[in-house]
Amino acid sequence: MENWIEYLDTLIEQDIRWNVYKTIAILLVLWLIKKGAYKLIGIKKDAEMKRMYHQRKTVQYTLVFIGLLLIGNIWISNFQSITTFLGLLSAGIAIALKDIFVNIAGWMLIYIKKPFDVGDRIQIGEFKGDVVDLRLMHFSILEVGNWVDAEQSTGRIIHVPNGKIFMDPQANYSQGFNYIWNEQHVNISLDSDYKKAQVILKNMLTSMFQPDFKNIEAALKRAQKEHFISFSLYTPTVYAKIHERGIQLSLRYLCNPRKRRFFEHMITEGILDNFKPESSIQIVYPTTSVILKQSGDTKPQA
């Protein structure tokens, strides 16, 4: 009897050892397949980086799925019945791990419907930035804005749960139409020649954005085929209105969202350079005077 027990123990040990060997072999083969697939995908040009990223992710997820099936079949007896087992526990798991399943559903929606993709600049809830990674549980964005002006990068990576796409609206700066409307304001005095100021500013904007007009027009035509987007005017313009500080001139133009700060800098310099020699145009701004008076003094000190 003891010999029989020892024989069974030996068989079990041999069976476990053989399962370990098969598991290691499967992992090694899958690792080699992954390396080979990455070699075939290769290093693409910048224009094809997004496609390469998705190809590598597809290979990775496919091999993980195959590995789980093969290794599970080795270690779990009667593996075919595991789906029945999971079905019985699905209700409890769905309640206990609701957020995980919501994130997985969000990941599937992102890949199938593509509300945004790697490289797009988006805003979801209070988070805004460029999408740099898509994963099973979360996507990562390189944050812009926050304490930095003109939506430039803060340098922080924010990991947003995929399930957030079901709860918060998303704004995509890059999908459909690759340009956004931007506005800058400058105030001039009521006795300034505002019509002359408008002409100066409009000529400045036209000269600055003239090289982009063809690209903007082509992008607008593409957007009109996919979305109900229609602009009666896509060239820069300048609007005027009476303001508490005088006459407010609003410069409105289409620009690449990633170049907002660059254009704001260029336009600000242009305004200062063009208005400086014009005696009939005066830029106004709020000023504050503080008058200090000590006790016993008859004359105020500024």
Side-chain angles (χ1 to χ4, degrees), residues 79-95:
F79 186 71
Q80 292 77 10
S81 63
I82 193 170
T83 53
T84 305
F85 174 73
L86 291 177
L88 295 173
L89 293 179
S90 59
I93 292 174
I95 296 172

Side-chain angles (χ1 to χ4, degrees), residues 38 41-42 51-61:
Y38 281 7
I41 294 171
R51 184 183 301 174
M52 184 191 74
Y53 171 86
H54 287 301
Q55 288 174 345
R56 291 168 74 101
K57 283 290 185 182
T58 300
V59 169
Q60 181 180 342
Y61 289 132

Side-chain angles (χ1 to χ4, degrees), residues 54-55 71 154 167 172 217:
H54 287 301
Q55 288 174 345
I71 294 172
T154 65
M167 296 175 283
N172 194 321
E217 186 177 8

Side-chain angles (χ1 to χ4, degrees), residues 12-34:
I12 292 172
E13 289 177 2
Q14 289 177 351
D15 191 44
I16 293 174
R17 196 181 302 120
W18 179 239
N19 287 347
V20 170
Y21 292 154
K22 287 191 288 186
T23 301
I24 294 173
I26 289 171
L27 292 174
L28 180 61
V29 170
L30 292 176
W31 181 79
L32 291 174
I33 292 173
K34 177 183 174 183

Side-chain angles (χ1 to χ4, degrees), residues 100-141:
I100 293 177
F101 282 102
V102 169
N103 288 334
I104 294 174
W107 171 78
M108 294 175 65
L109 179 64
I110 291 170
Y111 265 91
I112 295 171
K113 300 295 291 184
K114 291 192 180 299
F116 52 82
D117 206 345
V118 175
D120 289 355
R121 175 163 291 187
I122 68 167
Q123 179 173 354
I124 178 167
E126 67 272 26
F127 306 114
K128 184 188 300 181
D130 299 320
V131 181
V132 294
D133 194 15
L134 299 174
R135 300 206 173 189
L136 190 63
M137 293 297 161
H138 66 263
F139 60 91
S140 303
I141 61 174

